[in-house]
Amino acid sequence: MTRWFVQLCCIVVCVLAFPYRSPAPLIYRPGEGWTYEKPGETGAWQKTRAKDQLEVAEKAFEIGNFKLAQKAAQRTVSNWPFSDYAPRAQYLAARCLEEQGKDQLAFKRYQDLLEKYPKIENYNEILGRQFAIANRFLDGQWGRLWGYVPIPFSKDKTAEMYEKIVKNGPYSEVGPQAQMNIGATREKQKDYPEAVRAYERAADRYADREEVASDAMYKAGLAYLKEAKTADYDQTVASKAIGTFNDFNTLHPDDKRVPDAKARIEMLKTEQARGAYETAKFYEKRKKWDAAKIYYNEALSKDPASAYAEIARLRIQELNRRTGANQ
């Protein structure tokens, strides 16, 4: 073991003491990072003017050589950050990342671009590209650790992407749907309170856009409904769902989903009656007659036409007989 270790140390010393030129070296440049260059290629793509450097990037991008295009574009940004060619170069670098499937890094580059050059000519196109990236993550695309290792992408990060898009362009072509997709992302997390908040924000902000406002209000009602069902039927949340669906029916009477909303209201009322009825039974078994009557009466008031209401009416009569209360 000792002899093997000594031999290894000698090899390491020789390598360090007698450096050799690699035929395919890894080159590090500040602001550009490590790059791999083939023999004869080293430096050939580098130019001394920003315009020429960007042309290298453009031509490489056109033929699908995205790695070279990214290097050339990034060098333009690093060496000539205040030139007229820097915004286009930074955009091209982000496009190269997107073409290579590195969406998370591409989104960040687009964000940096919009923050640095808020008056860039193709601002709306860049917003659209950010929106498309966020949509891919919403649909289940994985992220890449360090730009290479595939890992599941956090829904929180997806929601953050949509929030940045809304902040970048709240009234842009993609802004309203980005706000709606925050709600959709939270629903996938089963974080229904946050989903409701996102939909309600969309309904308020885009109240003058009928299609967006109606969709937002309807989906807020559905999110409330899902939330109510997660905790042994939360009566308070159920009431909020009913209120939201009622508002939807009042504000958007011509929407084709109004009949569905009305049906959901009736279903919610029946469930509220069932919840009150079950609570009343609980108290009755424990001979808490007054408490039982309170909840039987609630079952009656929540949905007078339900089967639970009819049974509750009979139980109230029986409890009144037992306790000698007035009929």
Side-chain angles (χ1 to χ4, degrees):
M1 177 64 72
T2 303
R3 182 179 178 183
W4 176 87
F5 180 75
V6 171
Q7 290 176 339
L8 179 62
C9 289
C10 290
I11 292 171
V12 171
V13 170
C14 289
V15 169
L16 295 176
F18 304 100
Y20 62 93
R21 187 177 183 85
S22 170
L26 282 172
I27 306 296
Y28 178 82
R29 296 183 181 87
E32 298 172 28
W34 291 96
T35 59
Y36 170 85
E37 297 181 359
K38 297 178 182 178
E41 182 186 76
T42 306
W45 57 274
Q46 298 178 52
K47 303 300 177 183
T48 57
R49 296 195 311 164
K51 180 181 178 181
D52 296 335
Q53 189 66 75
L54 180 59
E55 284 181 359
V56 172
E58 296 274 14
K59 289 177 180 178
F61 186 85
E62 287 174 5
I63 63 174
N65 189 346
F66 301 120
K67 289 186 178 180
L68 176 57
Q70 185 184 345
K71 283 196 303 182
Q74 188 57 49
R75 188 170 189 273
T76 306
V77 176
S78 300
N79 288 12
W80 300 279
F82 303 109
S83 74
D84 292 338
Y85 304 101
R88 174 66 183 173
Q90 190 162 330
Y91 165 78
L92 203 59
R95 287 282 286 112
C96 289
L97 287 169
E98 190 177 357
E99 290 293 338
Q100 294 174 78
K102 300 177 181 179
D103 278 349
Q104 193 174 350
L105 290 175
F107 187 97
K108 186 179 185 304
R109 290 292 181 87
Y110 286 135
Q111 185 64 28
D112 292 342
L113 180 60
L114 294 180
E115 291 175 1
K116 191 172 183 180
Y117 307 104
K119 294 184 179 180
I120 192 169
E121 184 178 344
N122 59 334
Y123 192 99
N124 286 327
E125 181 210 338
I126 296 167
L127 273 183
R129 291 198 169 278
Q130 285 190 310
F131 184 65
I133 289 172
N135 286 346
R136 289 197 284 272
F137 285 123
L138 177 61
D139 291 338
Q141 176 175 290
W142 282 29
R144 290 191 183 187
L145 186 62
W146 302 308
Y148 296 97
V149 183
I151 56 171
F153 197 71
S154 162
K155 290 293 183 293
D156 283 333
K157 290 182 180 178
T158 303
E160 286 173 9
M161 283 183 169
Y162 284 123
E163 287 167 358
K164 287 179 179 178
I165 293 168
V166 174
K167 184 178 180 180
N168 292 338
Y171 299 102
S172 66
E173 185 176 339
V174 298
Q177 190 56 52
Q179 181 63 53
M180 292 292 293
N181 283 1
I182 295 173
T185 303
R186 296 308 185 187
E187 282 199 72
K188 286 197 173 187
Q189 287 181 298
K190 300 188 186 304
D191 188 347
Y192 300 117
E194 282 300 316
V196 167
R197 275 190 276 274
Y199 290 134
E200 289 181 339
R201 195 170 293 122
D204 290 340
R205 176 175 283 165
Y206 307 108
D208 59 334
R209 304 189 188 188
E210 172 66 22
E211 185 176 349
V212 177
S214 61
D215 196 38
M217 188 166 288
Y218 179 77
K219 287 183 176 177
L222 291 180
Y224 269 132
L225 179 58
K226 292 175 183 177
E227 182 186 356
K229 290 182 176 179
T230 59
D232 195 24
Y233 217 86
D234 189 320
Q235 297 280 4
T236 302
V237 178
S239 296
K240 290 179 180 179
I242 291 172
T244 301
F245 281 129
N246 276 327
D247 289 343
F248 169 78
N249 293 339
T250 301
L251 295 173
H252 309 285
D254 298 327
D255 194 289
K256 63 181 180 180
R257 291 168 292 189
V258 166
D260 178 74
K262 289 180 177 178
R264 291 182 185 277
I265 289 171
E266 293 306 314
M267 181 269 290
L268 282 161
K269 287 180 178 179
T270 299
E271 280 299 307
Q272 284 186 314
R274 182 194 66 79
Y277 173 76
E278 293 296 335
T279 304
K281 283 175 59 180
F282 171 84
Y283 283 115
E284 186 177 357
K285 285 181 180 179
R286 284 154 182 76
K287 298 183 179 181
K288 304 290 184 181
W289 314 124
D290 290 339
K293 283 195 288 184
I294 289 171
Y295 283 100
Y296 279 134
N297 274 306
E298 186 174 328
L300 271 170
S301 63
K302 291 295 183 184
D303 189 3
S306 71
Y308 298 108
E310 181 58 31
I311 300 172
R313 189 177 294 108
L314 295 174
R315 294 312 308 156
I316 291 171
Q317 291 175 359
E318 175 61 21
L319 290 177
N320 283 337
R321 185 188 64 78
R322 287 185 184 182
T323 59
N326 293 329
Q327 298 297 315

